[in-house]
Amino acid sequence: MMKKLQLLTIASMLLLSAQMNADVIKINNLNLNNPDVRKCLKEASAQEGWDLKSIYTNSDDKLVFVFSKGKDDKVYISK
């Protein structure tokens, strides 16, 4: 019984430590409230192969754009 408990503990620790590691790049210095900036951001990201994953407003009422490319994410937060 003790060996099963130890095995279960080790297995759960391995599962918790073996998470997918995606690179998240946060950029906080854009004025995303400006429609021209949003348009340029979308077009430039699309040309580089980034897909627009989501757009939302965070708890600070700042506009957030999330782009993804494979396992990597870029998060743009308005200033």
Side-chain angles (χ1 to χ4, degrees):
M1 179 68 176
M2 187 65 163
K3 288 191 178 201
K4 288 182 182 180
L5 183 59
Q6 288 175 341
L7 181 61
L8 179 63
T9 304
I10 292 171
S12 62
M13 288 174 56
L14 286 174
L15 285 174
L16 291 175
S17 66
Q19 298 173 353
M20 291 179 55
N21 293 329
D23 291 332
V24 177
I25 302 167
K26 290 187 180 181
I27 300 167
N28 297 331
N29 59 354
L30 291 177
N31 181 9
L32 295 176
N33 295 320
N34 184 336
D36 292 332
V37 173
R38 291 192 304 258
K39 180 181 176 185
C40 288
L41 177 62
K42 288 179 190 177
E43 290 175 356
S45 297
Q47 287 178 355
E48 292 180 5
W50 291 89
D51 296 321
L52 182 60
K53 191 174 182 180
S54 67
I55 302 171
Y56 62 92
T57 306
N58 68 5
S59 60
D60 296 329
D61 287 331
K62 293 184 178 184
L63 198 56
V64 178
F65 278 59
V66 180
F67 292 89
S68 65
K69 183 178 184 181
K71 293 182 180 180
D72 299 330
D73 289 335
K74 278 188 183 180
V75 178
Y76 293 90
I77 303 171
S78 66
K79 49 178 169 175

